[in-house]
Amino acid sequence: MRLYLSSYRGAETAPRLLDLAGGPRRAVVVSNAVDLVPAAERQAYARNVHDPVAELREAGLDAVALDLRDYFGRAAALDRDLAGVGLVWAVGGNAFLLRRALRQSGLDAILARRLAEDSLAYGGWSAGACVAGSTLRGLHLMDEPEALAPGYDPDIVWEGMGLVDFAIVPHFASAHAEAAAASQAAAYMARSAIAHRTLRDGEAILRRGDKIELVGAPTP
């Protein structure tokens, strides 16, 4: 199993991500965590602030966008279209919305199988990292669980994909707008005996097989 779970984006340790992607250099970028944001605003943000597809291309990957809404209820089609893809990269936003998209498209089950086969790597930052964990409980203090966009199932999915056996709290003790909420989420998990790991911006959890390590360094 190959995972790269970052607190904030991936540029700080891009060589590690490139190495993790390994064989096929094709990558897909999943941005469904921000489906609440109008398309025009998302396009302006990509042009003026941060474009995750361009970031991966600059790192050396053949990256394209993948909208999971196109595959809601069409898991077999998604599985076919991911043939030859070496990395699935999920961006930040609302973790609960992203988790719904993963379930409604069937990508969660596809990832579980292909990660076990070691035919694909998964990575993501913020919400993209959180959904890989054991649970989203506690993250309700950072993201709105009831947040919906057109086409989404209103049922809240509290279970993470379980790709690691702990929950993940991003933006902890960082110069980020959600840092205070991250502290509250970590405290909630501690009180609730939920195994978890906190990540500061600039840090990422790297998993290769059974080995899990912390890479990067907190940004100022």
Side-chain angles (χ1 to χ4, degrees):
M1 183 176 289
R2 289 171 286 145
L3 303 174
Y4 182 95
L5 310 174
S6 172
S7 179
Y8 191 61
R9 302 179 185 170
E12 293 85 355
T13 49
R16 292 278 198 141
L17 179 60
L18 193 64
D19 177 64
L20 193 72
R25 291 302 177 95
R26 290 182 57 204
V28 294
V29 177
V30 174
S31 298
N32 294 95
V34 291
D35 279 346
L36 286 168
V37 181
E41 291 183 25
R42 292 169 62 174
Q43 292 164 5
Y45 186 87
R47 286 194 306 269
N48 302 317
V49 182
H50 176 247
D51 183 342
V53 174
E55 182 180 49
L56 291 190
R57 287 177 178 171
E58 290 169 5
L61 293 167
D62 177 15
V64 297
L66 176 72
D67 190 341
L68 294 182
R69 291 173 294 185
D70 294 337
Y71 296 94
F72 283 3
R74 301 178 60 238
L78 177 58
D79 199 9
R80 288 194 301 271
D81 289 348
L82 288 176
V85 169
L87 171 70
V88 173
W89 179 254
V91 309
N94 185 292
F96 294 92
L97 196 64
L98 176 58
R99 186 65 185 92
R100 287 181 174 94
L102 292 165
R103 175 167 289 184
Q104 287 181 240
S105 65
L107 181 55
D108 51 2
I110 294 168
L111 285 172
R113 188 191 78 247
R114 291 200 53 189
L115 286 166
E117 296 170 350
D118 198 31
S119 63
L120 175 146
Y122 174 80
W125 62 273
S126 193
C130 292
V131 295
S134 58
T135 182
L136 300 187
R137 295 190 183 277
L139 297 174
H140 65 285
L141 298 170
M142 300 181 71
D143 292 341
E144 180 64 46
E146 292 82 9
L148 291 174
Y152 278 82
D153 190 327
D155 291 343
I156 300 170
V157 184
W158 291 101
E159 301 82 12
M161 290 192 288
L163 304 180
V164 290
D165 60 0
F166 48 83
I168 296 171
V169 182
H171 313 308
F172 186 80
S174 301
H176 191 281
E178 290 190 301
S183 293
Q184 294 173 4
Y188 175 95
M189 292 178 184
R191 290 194 304 271
S192 304
I194 297 172
H196 64 281
R197 296 195 185 185
T198 58
L199 285 175
R200 297 184 179 187
D201 290 351
E203 295 179 332
I205 291 168
L206 177 66
R207 176 172 182 176
R208 191 185 293 273
D210 293 330
K211 182 181 178 181
I212 298 176
E213 61 179 316
L214 183 68
V215 299
T219 55

